[in-house]
Amino acid sequence: MSRVRLPLAALSLASVSALVLSGCAQSTDASKDTGNSAASASAATGKKPAPFSAGAVKVALVRQSGAGDYFEQWGNGAKAQAKALGIDLTVYDAQADNAKQATDLSSAINSGAKAIIIDHGFPATIQPEIDKAVKKGIKVVVYDVETATAGVVSTKQDDASMAQAVLDVMAKEVGKNAKVGYVNVAGYAALDKRDSVWKSTVTSQAWKQQFKVGKVTDSTATDNVPLVSAALTQHSDVAGVFAPYDELAKGTVLAVQNKKLQDKVKVFGADVSNADIQQMTAADSPWVATAGTDPSAVGAAVVRTTALELAGQLNKTSVEFPAVAITQDFLREKKIANMDQLREALPALNLSQVSTADWISNVAH
């Protein structure tokens, strides 16, 4: 929230910010499957430090992924970077089952992994296992997970800057004292941070919030259509709706179109992916702005952060990935149809200089 995370993906979606998707948990080996990532790796020039100098390093990725291609791209970036580094990566994905994620984390702890990456998740569910991992001397790197455990490295999208970037656009589009709508869900780290910026902006812009609806499910976009449609039936005079996770934004867009309000109601989202770009640039789309990170670049950067931590070279306890504002006008003007074209048009999305070293084969996006 990336989904979004972010990216604003992933809750980044996001931060995406444990955004969830139902399905079967799975385990894959990055040396066998790097997904559909188009990423390539630049050659390393430096000598590998321990433990990488001794061969493949076992790392576990414990995910709580969400709906939409943001999470798929994030995973592809992580797998591609792991392969480039010679990491033996095992991926677990609980997909909406919090108890399963705790079990997955326990399995990862007992798997012999030197490090564990936790991608999203509810702190209350996984905190005991995080503590166990740290006590066993396993390096733990979390993405969009709130934890106070000493020794854990925190990585995340800069969700506050992400929300602020798109809300700055919204302020220009709808003006002060406007009637607005809000589609969001409490309880997810990234969405809660974006919510704080929303509340501040509502006050500073003197907006009149007419409704707040939203839920996260295994079909978030589809399941939010009736909620937003019902809200728009009562409040068809809103000038704009903020939905700070791309799956929430997709459902909002469909609701606005179903109510035939696309010429009156503007949608402002968060996160960015191929599907988001296609929906934003479609004819008569009310989705006029989003903000995000490149989910593939973020996934790769989290793996590089983990590698530096394993090598004793990170020397920090947190890494943030800045977001970029993206407007519908920009996408249409530049004829951008996918993430590859967006990366070329917006170099700020490239995180290749984040968490890197001369011994790291850095995945290029």
Side-chain angles (χ1 to χ4, degrees):
M1 340 225 126
S2 79
R3 54 266 182 63
V4 348
R5 76 136 299 278
L6 62 82
L8 320 148
L11 255 217
S12 100
L13 302 167
S15 262
V16 98
S17 139
L19 301 178
V20 293
L21 170 67
S22 68
C24 299
Q26 59 186 3
S27 176
T28 59
D29 188 327
S31 66
K32 299 176 183 177
D33 179 14
T34 59
N36 297 319
S37 175
S40 59
S42 59
T45 58
K47 182 179 179 181
K48 290 184 178 180
F52 297 93
S53 56
V57 178
K58 188 173 181 61
V59 174
L61 171 57
V62 179
R63 308 192 71 192
Q64 181 73 287
S65 69
D69 60 352
Y70 175 90
F71 285 94
E72 180 181 358
Q73 291 181 50
W74 196 105
N76 288 341
K79 292 174 185 178
Q81 183 64 76
K83 184 176 182 180
L85 277 164
I87 287 175
D88 177 8
L89 185 71
T90 299
V91 181
Y92 305 82
D93 197 342
Q95 296 183 331
D97 188 335
N98 295 324
K100 174 60 177 167
Q101 189 180 25
T103 301
D104 286 345
L105 186 47
S106 179
S107 297
I109 291 170
N110 296 320
S111 71
K114 299 295 184 182
I116 298 174
I117 300 169
I118 304 174
D119 171 27
H120 295 89
F122 286 100
T125 304
I126 59 178
Q127 185 60 57
E129 299 301 323
I130 291 176
D131 291 338
K132 290 179 185 177
V134 171
K135 287 179 180 179
K136 287 193 67 173
I138 300 171
K139 299 294 185 182
V140 177
V141 176
V142 300
Y143 177 72
D144 266 348
V145 176
E146 296 294 334
T147 176
T149 302
V152 172
V153 175
S154 173
T155 67
K156 55 191 172 184
Q157 297 179 124
D158 187 343
D159 288 292
S161 74
M162 181 180 292
Q164 193 63 65
V166 73
L167 287 172
D168 285 346
V169 178
M170 184 172 176
K172 293 178 181 178
E173 291 284 338
V174 305
K176 289 198 171 189
N177 302 301
K179 292 182 179 179
V180 296
Y182 189 35
V183 183
N184 200 4
V185 182
Y188 300 93
L191 295 184
D192 288 344
K193 292 172 185 174
R194 299 171 195 184
D195 177 67
S196 294
V197 180
W198 165 256
K199 290 176 179 174
S200 176
T201 304
V202 167
T203 299
S204 65
Q205 295 295 319
W207 286 340
K208 301 174 180 62
Q209 182 177 313
Q210 301 300 293
F211 63 81
K212 178 185 178 183
V213 297
K215 62 181 178 180
V216 171
T217 69
D218 58 350
S219 302
T220 298
T222 301
D223 290 343
N224 276 276
V225 174
L227 298 179
V228 181
S229 293
L232 289 172
T233 297
Q234 297 182 35
H235 305 284
S236 61
D237 57 345
V238 294
V241 179
F242 183 45
Y245 163 39
D246 56 354
E247 292 303 304
L248 294 174
K250 289 174 186 176
T252 301
V253 166
L254 291 172
V256 170
Q257 291 173 328
N258 287 347
K259 302 298 292 184
K260 301 188 184 306
L261 293 170
Q262 56 266 37
D263 293 332
K264 298 179 179 179
V265 180
K266 297 178 179 180
V267 176
F268 301 85
D271 306 317
V272 64
S273 68
N274 289 329
D276 298 342
I277 292 171
Q278 292 168 12
Q279 190 156 7
M280 287 181 71
T281 56
D284 297 323
S285 173
W287 190 350
V288 300
T290 190
T293 55
D294 175 359
S296 181
V298 169
V302 172
V303 172
R304 293 196 302 273
T305 300
T306 304
L308 289 172
E309 176 68 0
L310 278 166
Q313 297 181 4
L314 184 62
N315 301 319
K316 61 176 72 174
T317 58
S318 65
V319 178
E320 283 193 341
F321 311 118
V324 179
I326 303 159
T327 66
Q328 182 186 71
D329 288 343
F330 176 82
L331 295 174
R332 288 175 173 172
E333 178 185 347
K334 300 294 184 180
K335 295 181 170 56
I336 294 170
N338 54 52
M339 287 298 300
D340 287 338
Q341 294 172 350
L342 183 61
R343 291 180 189 111
E344 292 182 10
L346 281 177
L349 288 171
N350 190 339
L351 299 174
S352 63
Q353 299 305 308
V354 176
S355 294
T356 191
D358 62 3
W359 56 271
I360 291 178
S361 295
N362 200 327
V363 170
H365 300 273

